[in-house]
Amino acid sequence: ATGGGAAKLPDGRFAVSALTADQRAALDAFKLRMANEAVELPDNFDWDDDHDATLIRFVSGAKFDLDVALRMVKGAAEHFRAQRGETVVTAWHARNERRLGKAFFHGFDRMGRPTLVLHGARHNATKRDMAEIQDFIKLFFFRGLELLRVTKHHQFNLILDRRCFTRDKFDLELTRSTLFAMQDFYPERINKIFVLGVDWLFHTLIAVVRPFIAPRTMDKLVLAQSYDPPYAELNECYDKHQLFVSHGGTSVVDEFAAENIVELRGTFAELDADMQYVVCVRATHYAPLYDTIAADAALADELYALQQQVAEGDNATSQPWAVQYAARAKWDAWAALKGTSRDDAKRRLVQRVRALTDDFASDHDADALKRYALDATPVGNAYSAAADRARADGTATRAPTAPFEPPVLITAAAAAAADA
């Protein structure tokens, strides 16, 4: 075995060209061992753009210890092989856990990486079914992989919010199984794990699980130095409108958690102004609106500027250089809104988004809005640095992919009927 770096290109992809000579020899030896032991990977495996990149993730995740990498890839093969046909985990299998609103995808960092938000305080270790918990974990990892596929990213972030965490939430078995699955079945898929609400209980938990967790996984932890917002660690990586208000941002989409969306009633016209804004902002992260915005730089800059005006008020940031085309265009669009009130900026964004789709017609009922709930999977952040680069090189619109249908939200009545 040989040590070494992460074997990644600057854009985060794993590739043979990023390997040293020793690492490349280790990869060849690993492929030979797989062939000798007749290790076969299923079609639904967590594949990258090419098979070598996939194997590099496992070998790199094992720090080029081929014995460890072989154990990891065999375990992952069984893990994915069990997710086929009638054994596929669906949203229904984890329906009770999902109703708690403890996990959902929301927001993208400045590079366009998606974010899985976990609310530790919504978990109760004394009232949970471990089998359903395991299905819940699988469900979100599979959705994370699908989200990476459609956004053409290779890693996502986790925000673990532990504030209001009490002893009855302490779940060593769940923590160990989650970290084990993350590092052995999905190696190098996590970019960073931001931990909010760090206290003595968290340090105790880490001390207990550290012997079972790979150092590379532990190195991904970013502990917030402040117990309450704002969090400098998040602000370094995220624009404010991509973060919840409770995390120091300006997004009010957390009011739209799964347990609330299923109770939404009425039509779009009957929603209050704040909720109309929430729904429209959320919609810009979904197809087909995402494709429309991602392909139109002027439209993306306009919507970005309106969100910034709502979040920050008048533009007081430094003007980028003229040669910084994408950043300067965004800055100019925001500066042009000087004097616009936050309420007016909200109304203008709602009007602009409604002009792009008929999904928000005044007479559409709540069922037509539920596709934009946090329980569904967004496509990407059309305002990210990655999207700016894609527009510049003409690859902004997503390549056609197999359709991904967000799981249907299950109301308590529907779940009871299904159980019956």
Side-chain angles (χ1 to χ4, degrees), residues 96-286:
N96 295 311
E97 290 297 318
R98 291 171 60 247
R99 286 196 202 104
L100 299 176
K102 65 174 67 172
F104 40 80
F105 282 97
H106 171 73
F108 302 82
D109 68 12
R110 291 194 181 97
M111 293 304 296
R113 299 184 191 93
T115 304
L116 176 60
V117 180
L118 304 173
H119 280 288
R122 296 180 182 178
H123 177 69
N124 191 326
T126 64
K127 297 179 180 180
R128 55 99 165 124
D129 180 328
M130 194 60 193
E132 184 171 351
I133 282 280
Q134 296 288 359
D135 287 341
F136 183 69
I137 294 170
K138 292 176 184 176
L139 177 68
F140 273 93
F141 270 113
F142 291 153
R143 293 161 99 191
L145 296 182
E146 178 63 25
L147 186 50
L148 293 180
R149 183 173 69 86
V150 298
T151 59
K152 299 188 182 303
H153 274 278
H154 310 279
Q155 294 180 309
F156 57 89
N157 295 325
L158 297 181
I159 295 180
L160 173 57
D161 189 343
R162 297 187 66 264
R163 292 171 302 167
C164 302
F165 194 89
T166 53
R167 290 186 181 183
D168 63 315
K169 318 295 182 185
F170 190 89
D171 198 328
L172 179 60
E173 183 181 7
L174 173 60
T175 301
R176 286 179 58 180
S177 63
T178 301
L179 291 174
F180 173 80
M182 184 171 65
Q183 71 179 21
D184 276 26
F185 300 156
Y186 310 90
E188 302 298 331
R189 283 306 191 196
I190 304 298
N191 177 51
K192 292 181 179 179
I193 305 173
F194 298 93
V195 184
L196 314 182
V198 177
D199 55 12
W200 68 269
L201 195 58
F202 176 79
H203 287 294
T204 300
L205 177 62
I206 288 298
V208 172
V209 302
R210 186 180 293 273
F212 308 99
I213 306 302
R216 177 162 291 178
T217 301
M218 299 300 299
D219 290 343
K220 296 179 184 294
L221 292 176
V222 179
L223 308 184
Q225 296 303 304
S226 171
Y227 189 87
D228 295 310
Y231 300 107
E233 298 80 5
L234 290 178
N235 292 336
E236 288 179 2
C237 302
Y238 291 86
D239 291 326
K240 285 192 173 182
H241 64 271
Q242 298 291 341
L243 295 171
F244 292 150
V245 172
S246 59
H247 294 164
T250 58
S251 173
V252 293
V253 182
D254 49 344
E255 299 173 14
F256 228 97
E259 61 268 33
N260 294 328
I261 188 67
V262 297
E263 300 301 328
L264 191 62
R265 296 291 185 269
T267 65
F268 184 85
E270 292 171 333
L271 298 179
D272 62 35
D274 286 338
M275 190 57 76
Q276 286 188 355
Y277 175 76
V278 166
V279 173
C280 287
V281 169
R282 184 72 180 165
T284 66
H285 300 317
Y286 289 80

Side-chain angles (χ1 to χ4, degrees), residues 2 15-31 64:
T2 179
V16 173
S17 59
L19 300 175
T20 66
D22 287 344
Q23 291 172 341
R24 189 170 302 190
L27 175 64
D28 291 339
F30 182 63
K31 292 162 70 175
F64 289 84

Side-chain angles (χ1 to χ4, degrees), residues 54-77:
T54 302
L55 299 183
I56 291 171
R57 278 198 299 108
F58 279 85
V59 175
S60 181
K63 289 197 170 181
F64 289 84
D65 183 322
L66 302 191
D67 290 330
V68 173
L70 193 62
R71 174 186 59 78
M72 289 168 57
V73 80
K74 286 181 177 179

Side-chain angles (χ1 to χ4, degrees), residues 362-377:
S362 296
D363 60 347
H364 274 205
D365 62 25
D367 286 339
L369 307 178
K370 290 179 182 179
R371 60 178 293 207
Y372 300 110
L374 286 173
D375 203 45
T377 301

